[in-house]
Amino acid sequence: MRISLRGQPVPEDTDPRIIDGKAIANALLADLAREVAALIETGQPVPGLAVVLVGDDPASQVYVRSKARQTVAVGMRSFEHRLPATVTEDALLTVIDRLNADPAVDGILVQLPLPRPLDAARILDRIDPAKDVDGFHVVNAGRLSAGLDAPVPCTPLGCLLLLRQAVGALSGLHAVIVGRSNIVGKPLAQVLLRENCTVTIAHSRTRDLAALCRQADILVAAVGQAGLIRGDWVKPGATVIDVGINRIPTADGRTRLVGDVAFDEALAVADRITPVPGGVGPMTIACLLRNTLAAAAARRGAAHGL
Amino acid sequence: MRISLRGQPVPEDTDPRIIDGKAIANALLADLAREVAALIETGQPVPGLAVVLVGDDPASQVYVRSKARQTVAVGMRSFEHRLPATVTEDALLTVIDRLNADPAVDGILVQLPLPRPLDAARILDRIDPAKDVDGFHVVNAGRLSAGLDAPVPCTPLGCLLLLRQAVGALSGLHAVIVGRSNIVGKPLAQVLLRENCTVTIAHSRTRDLAALCRQADILVAAVGQAGLIRGDWVKPGATVIDVGINRIPTADGRTRLVGDVAFDEALAVADRITPVPGGVGPMTIACLLRNTLAAAAARRGAAHGL
């Protein structure tokens, strides 16, 4: 436990080295609520987000409920479409087509994973790219990689916003991203390249990962391996973004969430670090709503301040 | 000058450290000619490549002529469409639409740069992605970045084929790519990531570029700055791919082509290196024809051996 100058124990979440994702996400949500109100005040229709949930995966149900609650909390409309796990691909595509054509819907999110044998790539690519608030449509992935205007997938966007808060200007910094998934590692590489970072993408085949990580001014872990990144892999003064969310058993027979970074070790070396939970996680839904507002403003030809 | 074991001077182009792009391209062209012949022998129509040239840029005219000659040399049909620099965007789009619909055309290439005020992005995105043999369509860029089957742009594909010849298995090697253009650096990063390389993308904002380059097992220079990469930036044993083509004045008042790498310096350190000219350059048209054959085979539902 850390002790303050006045001899009081400092609660962990006020350690200035720990990036408070929850507070930053809440500030973003408050900004979004203001922007939504301003848009509506100009006489524009209320922005709307449609979430499509197929099947009854319990984790997906929790996410969808949370998304709906926060969508409404910032003043947007939330539309939920629940379909049985047995839905045919054609029926699901028909739902997407209807949402594409619906003027009240600015953003469409299909909750992943989809039950088999549904073809997620085919279904996601049916979404109108202008309503693709997850940024997973192949056209938007292509636009992002070409440096064109495109929605940034929510988790990489959350990482970027945390980095801007924690670091400020990113130009010239060396970012090492461990993990090359289509939803985090690869789009984040595009985004940090656009910010003029030097970008290295590492993965399971990388040789001497520790030495590579030690070069990073910005170290991003997005692999899903609890505690993979050790303290001595972190360069003193680096900023560490931990995207991993891993559930591990504890001594008392329960479980807890940890990231891909050995947090206490890294905290002793890093300049700034995101905790798990409470770091990148809270940013994801806020960024989804940010993408939804941006899509709504674009469809209305309106400006917004984000 | 190097001296062979038998005391004879060795001509530079037989130095085994110099990757002979011309020979590798010629071998690829010979393979392509065999594949085209085999496809036609099964009763399939002759593959065809359409090249659209707008305006009278002399360099573009040379490229287009060379492409047409090599297209015919491997047994394919070449269609040239020449349009005045004053052509309207709509008229150009109509030409693209016609080529998209033409069953004799398997590949469409719009020669860049386009004269102003034509919008290259809009025109390239009008090409049917299945006929996009340059791999510049936003859908194909997105598919490549998502790890899906997609045509690889010709210059990065040429780099990959040279690396496979020169190095063999690429998995686990650290590739440092200097340059982040949409036509070379960024797609090459995707391709080398797919080959399980650790990939670093460096650029003009990169700090201590020399130290970064010295870590590379594979060093790719694609920036267009004559001799930027010095010999002491190369790790002993590295493979160097020089994509740069720069025309510089010589002492006698003429000009010559050089790459982005200080060739003689790097040759003393590298294990393998591409020369300029005669390295990556000759691969580019061969790779265009490879993409055309692949597109033709895919449209016919036929297999090919490439």
Side-chain angles (χ1 to χ4, degrees), chain B residues 74-162:
Chain B
V74 298
M76 300 195 205
R77 294 175 71 185
S78 166
F79 308 98
E80 269 180 65
H81 292 261
R82 291 167 181 266
L83 301 163
T86 54
V87 71
T88 65
E89 200 159 294
D90 280 349
L92 179 51
L93 291 173
T94 303
V95 171
I96 305 279
D97 289 342
R98 211 160 351 108
L99 295 173
N100 283 338
D102 185 342
V105 172
D106 295 290
I108 302 169
L109 180 143
V110 176
Q111 182 67 42
L112 300 178
L114 287 171
R116 295 187 195 191
L118 296 170
D119 177 353
R122 186 168 170 231
I123 287 154
L124 294 180
D125 284 346
R126 187 72 158 244
I127 297 173
D128 179 348
K131 295 187 176 188
D132 167 38
V133 286
D134 250 346
F136 292 158
H137 193 289
V138 71
V139 162
N140 286 325
R143 291 183 59 84
L144 186 66
S145 80
L148 300 170
D149 194 38
V152 175
C154 303
T155 301
L157 179 57
C159 294
L160 173 66
L161 298 180
L162 292 178

Side-chain angles (χ1 to χ4, degrees), chain A residues 180 186 196-197 200 203 206, chain B residues 145 180 196-198 200 203 206:
Chain A
R180 54 174 162 170
K186 285 198 271 185
N196 293 321
C197 291
T200 297
H203 45 77
T206 293
Chain B
S145 80
R180 52 173 163 170
N196 294 320
C197 291
T198 301
T200 297
H203 46 78
T206 293

Side-chain angles (χ1 to χ4, degrees), chain A residues 215-276:
Chain A
Q215 298 180 41
D217 302 308
I218 294 167
L219 179 57
V220 181
V223 284
Q225 285 186 46
L228 172 73
I229 309 284
R230 306 304 303 258
D232 65 352
W233 297 23
V234 177
K235 179 164 87 169
T239 297
V240 179
I241 304 290
D242 191 349
V243 183
I245 299 180
N246 311 287
R247 189 170 289 281
I248 60 166
T250 54
D252 62 1
R254 304 176 66 176
T255 63
R256 67 187 183 100
L257 294 181
V258 298
D260 292 345
V261 179
F263 182 79
D264 293 333
E265 294 178 13
L267 181 62
V269 189
D271 196 39
R272 308 296 309 277
I273 183 168
T274 60
V276 176

Side-chain angles (χ1 to χ4, degrees), chain A residues 138-139 141-143 145-147 171-174 180 182 186 190 193 196-201 203 205-207 212 215, chain B residues 138-139 141-143 145-147 171-174 180 182 186 190 193 196-201 203 205-207 212 215:
Chain A
V138 71
V139 163
R143 291 183 59 85
S145 79
S171 177
L173 299 182
H174 187 179
R180 54 174 162 170
N182 287 338
K186 285 198 271 185
Q190 302 288 358
L193 202 54
N196 293 321
C197 291
T198 302
V199 177
T200 297
I201 309 176
H203 45 77
R205 309 294 182 85
T206 293
R207 298 177 188 166
L212 195 68
Q215 298 180 41
Chain B
V138 71
V139 162
R143 291 183 59 84
S145 80
S171 177
L173 299 181
H174 188 178
R180 52 173 163 170
N182 287 336
K186 285 199 272 186
Q190 301 289 358
L193 202 54
N196 294 320
C197 291
T198 301
V199 177
T200 297
I201 310 176
H203 46 78
R205 309 292 181 86
T206 293
R207 297 177 188 166
L212 195 68
Q215 299 180 40

